[in-house]
Amino acid sequence: LIIAPNLLWNVSNSFATLQHTAENADWQGVGADFSALGEFWLGQLAVGGPVLFVLGFLVLLTARSSGKLYLACMALPVFVIVSAQAVLSGANANWAAIGHLGVTAAAATTLKSQRKWAIVALAFNAMISLALPLAVIFATSLRIGDGELLLDRHFGQAAVSLKALEIAEAEDLDVVVSDNRAFLADFFFTLRDAPLEIYSVPPSGAPKHHYAQSYPLPAVPGDVLFVGKDSDPPVCRDPSFLPVEVATWRPESGYFTGDITAWRVPGSCWTE
């Protein structure tokens, strides 16, 4: 009953979740990267809290009672599977999030009788939880020495969107298109009140992200503004369609500091 809506949605959308997961797994030409495994496990310490996670994990590894064995069966396979994924092709810390339910419950069964360790575990987690909003407050100045901002990946999205709006207005275009998920995500947010229509390049085959699935460019008259992450023009189905470069810029800081190029493209580029 709980997962039925998800399953029904996947059935009616060509199993998009399965295809997206397979692309994330990226098992083509896999190798063995044990540094990625180390990063994954450091991420687990950050997610669960160093004391709480280690204690809970040890409880599961030495489980004897039926209740703890149940928790171990629920949690440990998750970490084994995602660890294998990390070695083969990398893994994000949150991919093992469901395993933390069992780890946290196991830790709680021990900490309820270990007051000092409970205080230490909760203190560590409280410090981590407090550090997150403080990092946001000081995000524009938080750096090590003269290095880059520690949170630079969270900056610059809006600037790219506003630049795209500026170019669209200068070119007298009211449709903006991109094939980049990060660009599209911020276009829809930052430019939500702008007089623009925003679309993804129509997918060829399975959609690679939400915007390609939900907002593919329909057949539209006239030209559109295409914004891409490199200097290569978009490839139109009809080779006689020639995109015209109208702007190129490189952000000085933020989540992306490479070349961004805007092209004036016939709206039927991807549909004819």
Side-chain angles (χ1 to χ4, degrees), residues 117-263:
W117 279 110
I119 293 174
V120 172
L122 293 176
F124 265 107
N125 285 16
M127 286 189 292
I128 294 173
S129 298
L130 181 61
L132 294 176
L134 288 177
V136 172
I137 293 172
F138 298 104
T140 56
S141 59
L142 194 61
R143 66 180 80 230
I144 298 177
D146 296 327
E148 296 290 333
L149 289 171
L150 294 179
L151 300 179
D152 63 343
R153 64 171 294 186
H154 301 292
F155 288 92
Q157 290 98 326
V160 172
S161 297
L162 294 174
K163 180 69 173 180
L165 173 62
E166 176 187 320
I167 297 170
E169 291 176 339
E171 293 292 321
D172 195 26
L173 298 174
D174 56 9
V175 177
V176 175
V177 182
S178 182
D179 58 357
N180 184 272
R181 183 177 65 172
F183 286 179
L184 289 165
D186 200 78
F187 287 170
F188 274 96
F189 178 75
T190 300
L191 306 181
R192 60 191 180 280
D193 296 324
L196 290 175
E197 295 180 49
I198 301 168
Y199 296 104
S200 169
V201 169
S204 55
K208 294 186 178 297
H209 49 73
H210 164 73
Y211 305 99
Q213 176 169 317
S214 300
Y215 302 99
L217 177 70
V220 295
D223 292 344
V224 302
L225 185 73
F226 173 83
V227 181
K229 251 190 177 183
D230 51 44
S231 57
D232 295 329
V235 178
C236 297
R237 293 186 179 181
D238 187 337
S240 66
F241 291 164
L242 299 177
V244 177
E245 182 179 335
V246 295
T248 298
W249 76 100
R250 173 173 287 192
E252 295 181 358
S253 61
Y255 78 116
F256 181 71
T257 54
D259 288 334
I260 301 175
T261 308
W263 303 82

Side-chain angles (χ1 to χ4, degrees), residues 6-123:
N6 188 298
L7 294 175
L8 290 173
W9 183 89
N10 270 278
V11 169
S12 60
N13 286 274
S14 303
F15 293 96
T17 300
L18 183 63
Q19 295 182 48
H20 181 66
T21 302
E23 289 179 0
N24 279 346
D26 190 22
W27 283 359
Q28 297 181 4
V30 296
D33 185 357
F34 290 96
S35 64
L37 178 63
E39 291 178 9
F40 167 73
W41 279 99
L42 285 174
Q44 301 317 298
L45 294 176
V47 170
V51 177
L52 190 72
F53 180 78
V54 170
L55 178 61
F57 203 83
L58 290 175
V59 170
L60 295 183
L61 288 177
T62 58
R64 293 294 183 271
S65 67
S66 59
K68 291 178 182 177
L69 284 171
Y70 172 79
L71 293 176
C73 291
M74 183 174 71
L76 295 182
V78 175
F79 294 104
V80 171
I81 292 169
V82 185
S83 292
Q85 166 64 32
V87 172
L88 292 174
S89 188
N92 294 330
N94 65 299
W95 291 1
I98 193 67
H100 283 267
L101 296 176
V103 172
T104 303
T109 64
T110 299
L111 289 176
K112 67 180 181 181
S113 60
Q114 301 289 332
R115 182 176 178 83
K116 290 183 179 180
W117 279 110
I119 293 174
V120 172
L122 293 176

